[in-house]
Amino acid sequence: PRIAPEKIRLVANSFSSNTIAADGWHPKHFGLLSNGALEYLSLLLSEIEKVGQFPEVLQSLLIGLIAKPQGGTRPIGYFRTFYRIWSKCRKEYYRHWEKQAEDDGSKRLFASGVNRSCTDVVWRQGAKAELAGASGRRAATTLHDIKKCFEAVTHFRLWEQAKNMHYTLTLLSV
């Protein structure tokens, strides 16, 4: 279903006043728009969903480097405000979809989700492997924990690769 203009206003106004406006637009700015402008945004979001892709100008992810207490920096991604509003508008819809998929017996598709942790994934895979072994079958599992993978990335090298691939780059100081 199309996102109602009233929903866009409600979601826009639900963001904290302290929310970072990395692209210059605070989410609350969208809540100040006229009813006609929100109607247009609703139609625009509907078309974006039909196409399955945001316009190129809205696809960039802004990366800020945050100082870590132990020294060094950690990258953090800031999605554009328009995307953040859309994703928050659709949050309930996708949670319902995920729940419905689980109820249909598709739990094997989702290793993570609401009220799950990485240890849940490990436990489920371990139980399945033990059951397979007890049944005379074989099992193999590979799990990748990428919790801190971005801290291992050399930021300068990533910046150079992004430039080589013609990404639009913006440096933020946070």
Side-chain angles (χ1 to χ4, degrees):
R2 184 164 67 100
I3 300 169
E6 302 81 33
K7 174 85 172 183
I8 297 171
R9 186 183 315 277
L10 185 68
V11 163
N13 289 329
S14 73
F15 282 83
S16 164
S17 295
N18 297 331
T19 299
I20 291 179
D23 60 358
W25 291 91
H26 191 283
K28 288 185 180 288
H29 291 156
F30 285 79
L32 299 172
L33 294 173
S34 69
N35 292 339
L38 288 173
E39 180 69 29
Y40 174 77
L41 281 179
S42 172
L43 291 169
L44 180 61
L45 286 170
S46 181
E47 291 303 311
I48 288 170
E49 289 178 336
K50 286 177 190 171
V51 172
Q53 184 173 328
F54 273 77
E56 191 173 322
V57 71
L58 296 175
Q59 290 180 10
S60 63
L61 177 66
L62 304 166
I63 306 294
L65 297 177
I66 309 258
K68 295 192 308 187
Q70 326 73 317
T73 57
R74 167 178 74 87
I76 184 166
Y78 298 104
F79 287 99
R80 293 194 167 272
T81 302
F82 192 66
Y83 175 85
R84 293 170 69 196
I85 287 174
W86 168 77
S87 63
K88 198 167 184 179
C89 282
R90 286 301 192 205
K91 185 171 150 181
E92 295 167 16
Y93 181 79
Y94 288 112
R95 281 204 174 144
H96 173 74
W97 174 84
E98 182 182 24
K99 174 83 172 96
Q100 186 178 10
E102 287 183 355
D103 291 345
D104 292 343
S106 303
K107 286 187 179 184
R108 65 186 184 282
L109 297 177
F110 302 105
S112 62
V114 175
N115 297 320
R116 294 190 196 154
S117 71
C118 59
T119 55
D120 295 335
V121 175
V122 173
W123 187 90
R124 280 196 307 277
Q125 292 302 318
K128 287 178 183 179
E130 283 197 34
L131 180 61
S135 303
R137 298 181 316 217
R138 296 179 189 200
T141 302
T142 302
L143 297 173
H144 297 277
D145 182 357
I146 61 170
K147 182 177 180 183
K148 297 204 177 232
C149 74
F150 292 108
E151 294 187 14
V153 174
T154 305
H155 300 141
F156 176 77
R157 189 170 187 192
L158 182 63
W159 181 273
E160 288 300 315
Q161 288 295 321
K163 277 192 340 192
N164 291 341
M165 296 181 75
H166 308 291
Y167 279 78
T168 302
L169 303 170
T170 306
L171 183 62
L172 301 174
S173 59
V174 180

